[in-house]
Amino acid sequence: MLNNSFAATVVALLTPSALAFAPTRQIASTTLNAQNSIISYQSSPLTHAPISARSAILSKRTSLFAQAAADSVPAPTSNDSCDVLVLGSGPAARSIATLLASPSSNGSFDILLADTNYDRRWAANYGVWQDEWQSILQLYSSFKQPLGASCVDRLWEVTDCFFGGSFDIPVESRMRLDRPYCRVDRDALRRQLSPKDEIEVKNDGDGNANYRVIRSNHISKATAVNIYSPAGSMVHDDSGSTVLLQSKDGDVTQVRAKLIVDCTGHESRIVLKDDRVKSIPPGFQIAYGVLAKVDESDIPDSDYAGPYYKEAMTLFDYRTDHFPEGSNELSKAEKAPTFMYAMPLDGNRIFFEETSLVARPAVSFQECKERYLTRMEHLGITITEIEEEEFCYIPMGGPLPAADQRVVGFGGAAAMVHPSTGYHLCRAMMASGSAAEAIRKELANDNFNPDRAAASAYNAIWSPTNIAQRNFAVFGGEFLMKQNVEGLRGFFDGFFKLPLELWGGFLAGWPGLPNNENHETWWARLKFGLSFVSKLPPQVALDMLVSIATYSITEGVPLPQSVSPLLGLPDGYEYKEKSAAVGDVAAKSEAMKMIMESKVEEVVPVAFEQKEV
């Protein structure tokens, strides 16, 4: 089908004044392939002859087509094909590409990963709970893609939090959580999720992925479901998709794929958002971080950097005593809170990050940086060298992908970030297992249907039960956004007083991760909510109860549906086969039979004709 082409002849429009006087006019010849990709564009002279008003109208219409064709996609310089095309090269993209291409009982599949920035180092520092990471290791081993020990470069046996300054909690009070925390070595993980010929192998397990790489990006933008601009840059048919990829030097590759998975991030250009249900705009997590060396020449205890114990990971420091009482800076920090997140590494190297958990509109990066500097000065921590700066921008919540899309969004493109916390890495890596299994099952089907394959992948990511759990967490994010610093201190002080399996499950928020079973049903979420409210300071508990009522009134079904069996489950992405028959087949068949037997009626009306479908 790809080799069939047709030529379209388009007559250029002359202006009304030119119709009477122009000596010549032009014919533009445009050759297109079956996917409407422009191969060539030529023009040739045509001797002038008078044309009618009707011809002028037709000429104008075809001229518009000619202009659209001329401004359309660049001509391909090469061709490729694959089973699945994965767009992007961050953790989500490499995770699902690695599992899709892993050894399978259904046979091997050709996976092509496309990104012009494939060789760029990942910028973010990733922190994960140790038990969640262990579940990721088990998943990848089950796909015969084991991840080595080099993927974690630091383990803290305990995790610390500071919520002092409100509700009679002393400023210096430390809450210690007996749950180990890890820092992922982003470079090692990146190598382990890469093919061997694309990286420098340094550790066992590096380069074990089996997908192929092309350093090109798509050039499309969705204008409606499964419709893209420029015309011909991405086209779907009943057996797959054709997409144009362009490299940084301008080379264009036309790729034929059975399925496309988009992992290009939160603000994807080709995955549209769902408008079937009312959605709240996303909030934004903003953070300014530094990997720094600190001066330890004059400190009383080398086991600490200021108040931060080096054998503990500090998850939250929501204190504001580093601002002068009554100052404008303190007022801003109380209304739009930020916290310090600190990862002591080796020796005097520490990663500090001043973070706005979630806000709409976002807190500025400059504000986060200034608060970090003020906090460091107050705590007596002197930075001698900055090795890295990090600017963290994470949309949280917002609408899910629209149904019936042929491009499968994954990771940020599918709004998979935890709506209350910003956690994403373990959620995406765990989800890559179920999504890969669903896609590989469809690829192995002798009657492959790309619409069914895309729906199956989406349903593996966002099942109705998972959407219900997410809706519960979306309310959590909205509640956090409206809190001042006092409210957040009270919220998290009560949150971490819950049993670990309850708060751990809420932070996980994804099937397969540890403790998530405590949040997967409406009854489990209701029990969690009741237990949580009982741990909160009275004024925060009252605010939450009022917020639940207000949110349920203003936003409708999602929250009540997540904690009650009475409203059923949200709509999911299950594949629904389109009906081939139109109208009342029995009535039309009866009419056909009677017409054929009629002695006076010989013409069969169009509505009764048998149509091939």
Side-chain angles (χ1 to χ4, degrees):
M1 186 165 124
L2 289 175
N3 295 324
N4 295 331
S5 63
F6 62 91
T9 302
V10 184
V11 179
L13 172 69
L14 298 176
T15 62
S17 60
L19 290 176
F21 304 108
T24 62
R25 54 196 174 98
Q26 300 290 315
I27 280 185
S29 175
T30 308
T31 302
L32 303 97
N33 65 10
Q35 281 68 44
N36 296 332
S37 299
I38 294 180
I39 306 302
S40 64
Y41 184 81
Q42 302 175 334
S43 63
S44 59
L46 179 68
T47 304
H48 169 69
I51 59 177
S52 67
R54 181 176 181 276
S55 297
I57 293 172
L58 293 174
S59 177
K60 181 176 181 179
R61 291 173 179 170
T62 52
S63 175
L64 294 174
F65 175 82
Q67 184 60 45
D71 295 339
S72 190
V73 296
T77 54
S78 61
N79 295 278
D80 203 339
S81 64
C82 59
D83 291 312
V84 181
L85 173 65
V86 178
L87 303 173
S89 63
R94 296 194 196 212
S95 293
I96 194 166
T98 295
L99 296 191
L100 283 169
S102 66
S104 166
S105 59
N106 291 326
S108 60
F109 300 106
D110 182 16
I111 312 302
L112 180 63
L113 185 145
D115 191 357
T116 57
N117 295 316
Y118 183 83
D119 301 304
R120 181 178 293 179
R121 188 187 186 202
W122 293 346
N125 284 272
Y126 298 108
V128 299
W129 299 103
Q130 184 190 38
D131 54 352
E132 291 190 6
W133 187 251
Q134 289 299 321
S135 69
I136 299 300
L137 297 182
Q138 292 170 14
L139 172 70
Y140 279 68
S141 292
S142 72
F143 275 80
K144 298 181 176 60
Q145 292 289 160
L147 301 174
S150 62
C151 288
V152 168
D153 62 6
R154 184 69 164 93
L155 169 66
W156 301 272
E157 294 294 338
V158 293
T159 304
D160 285 349
C161 301
F162 296 88
F163 303 124
S166 302
F167 306 110
D168 298 323
I169 303 173
V171 171
E172 66 278 5
S173 178
R174 172 188 285 107
M175 176 182 280
R176 178 152 289 170
L177 309 174
D178 291 323
R179 190 183 187 193
Y181 205 81
C182 300
R183 180 179 186 258
V184 173
D185 185 327
R186 62 196 172 193
D187 296 324
L189 179 61
R190 181 175 170 274
R191 292 194 302 270
Q192 300 241 331
L193 298 176
S194 301
K196 186 168 293 184
D197 56 354
E198 299 291 348
I199 56 152
E200 178 185 355
V201 175
K202 295 184 178 181
N203 302 295
D204 289 342
D206 288 359
N208 280 347
N210 296 306
Y211 59 83
R212 297 186 292 121
V213 176
I214 180 172
R215 289 164 175 79
S216 300
N217 287 347
H218 75 82
I219 59 174
S220 306
K221 180 179 180 181
T223 57
V225 172
N226 300 328
I227 304 296
Y228 308 91
S229 176
S233 62
M234 185 177 294
V235 180
H236 306 301
D237 56 47
D238 60 358
S239 61
S241 304
T242 303
V243 58
L244 295 184
L245 305 177
Q246 190 166 38
S247 67
K248 288 183 177 180
D249 60 10
D251 290 338
V252 176
T253 302
Q254 182 171 268
V255 176
R256 180 70 181 168
K258 292 182 179 178
L259 193 67
I260 299 172
V261 178
D262 179 30
C263 305
T264 57
H266 310 277
E267 291 156 8
S268 165
R269 290 169 53 87
I270 56 174
V271 174
L272 296 180
K273 302 304 183 184
D274 192 358
D275 58 5
R276 294 177 300 170
V277 295
K278 181 179 179 181
S279 297
I280 302 172
F284 299 92
Q285 183 170 120
I286 297 294
Y288 171 78
V290 296
L291 176 56
K293 292 182 178 179
V294 301
D295 183 2
E296 295 186 332
S297 61
D298 188 24
I299 58 173
D301 189 344
S302 60
D303 288 338
Y304 287 83
Y308 306 130
Y309 182 46
K310 288 186 177 180
E311 294 306 314
M313 187 275 168
T314 297
L315 185 64
F316 289 113
D317 182 355
Y318 260 120
R319 297 175 296 180
T320 53
D321 58 319
H322 49 294
F323 295 113
E325 194 66 35
S327 66
N328 183 53
E329 290 82 0
L330 177 60
S331 177
K332 288 195 297 182
E334 289 176 338
K335 293 176 182 176
T338 58
F339 64 90
M340 175 57 70
Y341 174 95
M343 287 179 160
L345 303 177
D346 55 299
N348 65 337
R349 297 171 70 244
I350 303 179
F351 177 71
F352 296 107
E353 192 164 59
E354 191 74 26
T355 305
S356 165
L357 180 60
V358 58
R360 188 173 55 237
V363 173
S364 78
F365 285 102
Q366 185 61 37
E367 183 73 23
C368 289
K369 181 175 182 178
E370 290 173 0
R371 292 185 189 182
Y372 144 77
L373 292 170
T374 302
R375 194 187 296 269
M376 292 294 100
E377 182 179 7
H378 173 77
L379 297 176
I381 300 175
T382 302
I383 304 297
T384 60
E385 181 183 342
I386 293 178
E387 297 181 12
E388 297 176 1
E389 283 186 306
E390 179 176 302
F391 299 87
C392 176
Y393 167 85
I394 305 175
M396 296 163 54
L400 293 176
D404 297 325
Q405 293 187 91
R406 285 283 292 274
V407 175
V408 177
F410 189 76
M416 289 170 58
V417 173
H418 196 299
S420 297
T421 66
Y423 278 123
H424 185 215
L425 180 66
C426 285
R427 291 162 65 91
M429 294 187 72
M430 181 59 70
S432 65
S434 55
E437 285 184 353
I439 292 171
R440 298 203 308 186
K441 181 179 178 181
E442 292 294 336
L443 291 173
N445 192 322
D446 291 337
N447 297 312
F448 176 76
N449 180 329
D451 288 304
R452 186 183 60 219
S456 297
Y458 270 122
N459 206 51
I461 300 165
W462 288 120
S463 66
T465 54
N466 203 19
I467 295 172
Q469 184 175 349
R470 179 187 189 265
N471 289 340
F472 186 78
V474 168
F475 166 74
E478 292 298 308
F479 182 76
L480 291 170
M481 268 189 271
K482 61 177 288 203
Q483 299 302 302
N484 59 19
V485 72
E486 185 176 55
L488 290 177
R489 290 170 185 158
F491 179 98
F492 284 111
D493 182 70
F495 181 80
F496 289 117
K497 286 177 179 175
L498 289 166
L500 188 154
E501 59 268 20
L502 290 185
W503 65 257
F506 182 83
L507 295 183
W510 200 269
L513 292 178
N515 303 304
N516 191 69
E517 65 275 8
N518 298 304
H519 290 263
E520 289 181 350
T521 66
W522 70 267
W523 174 238
R525 290 187 289 271
L526 182 60
K527 286 196 299 182
F528 166 81
L530 295 173
S531 299
F532 185 23
V533 169
S534 72
K535 301 291 184 181
L536 295 172
Q539 69 187 63
V540 180
L542 178 60
D543 188 14
M544 178 169 284
L545 293 173
V546 172
S547 296
I548 290 171
T550 303
Y551 186 90
S552 298
I553 292 170
T554 59
E555 303 305 325
V557 169
L559 180 58
Q561 188 179 51
S562 72
V563 292
S564 168
L566 301 178
L567 298 172
L569 288 169
D571 291 334
Y573 293 87
E574 301 93 339
Y575 176 67
K576 298 179 178 65
E577 188 170 1
K578 305 298 185 293
S579 175
V582 179
D584 192 317
V585 176
K588 291 195 293 182
S589 297
E590 181 187 26
M592 279 286 295
K593 180 181 178 184
M594 294 176 69
I595 290 170
M596 298 302 291
E597 295 173 351
S598 173
K599 296 180 179 180
V600 296
E601 185 59 60
E602 297 180 354
V603 178
V604 178
V606 173
F608 297 151
E609 290 180 355
Q610 297 291 340
K611 299 180 177 65
E612 293 185 6
V613 294

